[in-house]
Amino acid sequence: MLRLSDRSDSAALAQTLNQSSPLTNHGLVAQDWETLLPVVVQMVEMSKVDFYLILSVVFVVVAIGVMNTMVMSVMERTPELGVMLALGTRGGQLQLTILFEAFFLAVLGMVAGTVVGGLLVFWLGQTGIDLSSVSRSLEAIPGITDRIYPVLIFDHVWLPSLLLFLCSVLVALYPAWRASRLDPVEAIRHG
């Protein structure tokens, strides 16, 4: 059994090995892991579905959290926003102020999440995740060990980060629009 750094290279490696004379002289055949372990292929495909399902739940939670934060921020600052409007700030300028606030919160969250997540994956990639408590159930699958080592895949970082960033800014549109429609006198009286 050979261990590869990229599992997608297994078919090409098996084909290359099958064309080499040491294997063919002894009547041996190299097979890729997808052929040998179709159950694991199904597990990998299912984990992709799980990934997108969990990601969509995270998007909903983040959207609700950011919208709640921005709505509460607008409601708590209603008198201050009313003073700003009374002093001549236009509604569009107030919208931009609130959208910039959401933008900076999204950037801060994206950077912090990427750094903390990256450090966690790096540390776990060095130490591994011990699965010995469930390794008996994995014994039927050849090649599976009781310790796994996660790797950071760039595509699993930039796309969700970008989508969460856009989601955070988009859900701030409603509170920003609501703030721009405030009546200055009512907003000042609100406090």
Side-chain angles (χ1 to χ4, degrees):
M1 181 174 13
L2 298 175
R3 184 178 209 141
L4 302 174
S5 59
D6 186 0
R7 69 175 182 239
S8 63
D9 295 338
S10 65
L13 178 63
Q15 184 178 12
T16 303
L17 289 173
N18 284 329
Q19 293 172 354
S20 67
S21 58
L23 283 181
T24 54
N25 289 346
H26 297 320
L28 299 175
V29 176
Q31 291 183 322
D32 57 69
W33 69 273
E34 292 95 340
T35 304
L36 290 172
L37 304 167
V39 172
V40 176
V41 173
Q42 289 177 340
M43 289 170 54
V44 168
E45 292 300 319
M46 191 62 183
S47 72
K48 288 179 185 177
V49 171
D50 290 345
F51 172 75
Y52 289 113
L53 182 65
I54 291 169
L55 194 61
S56 63
V57 170
V58 168
F59 281 137
V60 170
V61 169
V62 166
I64 290 171
V66 169
M67 184 175 274
N68 182 44
T69 301
M70 296 310 295
V71 167
M72 290 306 295
S73 174
V74 167
M75 288 179 68
E76 288 176 355
R77 295 183 299 169
T78 297
E80 291 88 355
L81 297 174
V83 169
M84 288 176 68
L85 288 169
L87 291 174
T89 303
R90 292 190 305 265
Q93 291 172 320
L94 202 55
Q95 274 183 326
L96 282 177
T97 300
I98 293 169
L99 288 175
F100 277 129
E101 183 179 330
F103 172 81
F104 287 118
L105 281 173
V107 167
L108 182 65
M110 187 174 64
V111 169
T114 301
V115 168
V116 170
L119 289 173
L120 182 64
V121 168
F122 176 76
W123 178 68
L124 289 173
Q126 301 299 316
T127 61
I129 301 171
D130 185 16
L131 298 176
S132 60
S133 62
V134 295
S135 64
R136 286 193 178 99
S137 62
L138 299 174
E139 288 175 355
I141 304 172
I144 301 292
T145 63
D146 62 350
R147 186 168 291 273
I148 59 172
Y149 298 91
V151 293
L152 192 61
I153 300 171
F154 185 67
D155 288 344
H156 290 178
V157 175
W158 77 267
L159 183 60
S161 295
L162 178 66
L163 292 175
L164 284 170
F165 172 78
L166 291 174
C167 180
S168 298
V169 173
L170 288 176
V171 297
L173 288 173
Y174 170 71
W177 173 80
R178 184 174 172 185
S180 71
R181 302 287 177 229
L182 289 173
D183 176 40
V185 176
E186 288 297 318
I188 294 171
R189 221 182 271 159
H190 179 71

